[in-house]
Amino acid sequence: MTYDAAVAEPLRPGFKAEAENIAQVVRAELGLGPLDALDCFALAAAWGIPVVSLGELRDDGAKDRSVRRLLSEDAGFSATTVVLGTKRLIVYNPRQPPGRNASSLSHELSHLILEHEAAAAIGDPAGPRRLLVVGSNDQAVTMSPSE
């Protein structure tokens, strides 16, 4: 799924009202009023969605070279959601400022809340386990334990 900010599609009729209703339900589930701050890490935890930093992927076999590439200043990577069957994982860049991370996490959670169809996240099924991570600028980096 790609997004082109220059040619945004108009929202379908009723979308804003539907999104507002969903937001009220989600906030109520967390015991929040309409003006209370939303802690997206708490929302992800309440929904059982792990949120990990890029550095934590090393523990799951991602090679240091791949992680360093996404952490570099010119990578433009903020966050992404990896979907495998019914499992969800949000990966974020810890080098971004806290406000940017909060924005990126809320963006990723909104895809899940609104049940957007996920783009392919797992590559080359014939080869070793590979994880294709696509950033907000559509830059793709493959992470593989065998790199």
Side-chain angles (χ1 to χ4, degrees), residues 50-138:
V51 178
V52 299
S53 71
L54 278 167
E56 292 174 86
L57 290 179
R58 287 184 186 107
D59 297 338
D60 291 324
K63 293 298 181 184
D64 189 59
R65 177 175 55 121
S66 298
V67 172
R68 279 196 324 267
R69 182 173 175 196
L70 282 172
L71 287 172
S72 69
E73 288 185 27
D74 61 337
F77 177 80
S78 294
T80 192
T81 300
V82 179
V83 178
L84 180 58
T86 60
K87 297 178 182 178
R88 307 289 185 263
L89 171 71
I90 296 175
V91 181
Y92 72 96
N93 184 346
R95 291 195 175 166
Q96 297 289 348
R100 175 63 182 258
N101 277 332
S103 175
S104 298
L105 183 53
S106 66
H107 176 92
E108 296 305 318
L109 286 168
S110 70
H111 287 301
L112 300 175
I113 291 168
L114 296 172
E115 299 178 350
H116 290 165
E117 186 175 333
I122 302 296
D124 194 6
R129 192 184 96 208
R130 300 171 69 83
L131 171 63
L132 177 65
V133 179
V134 181
S136 59
N137 64 352
D138 293 327

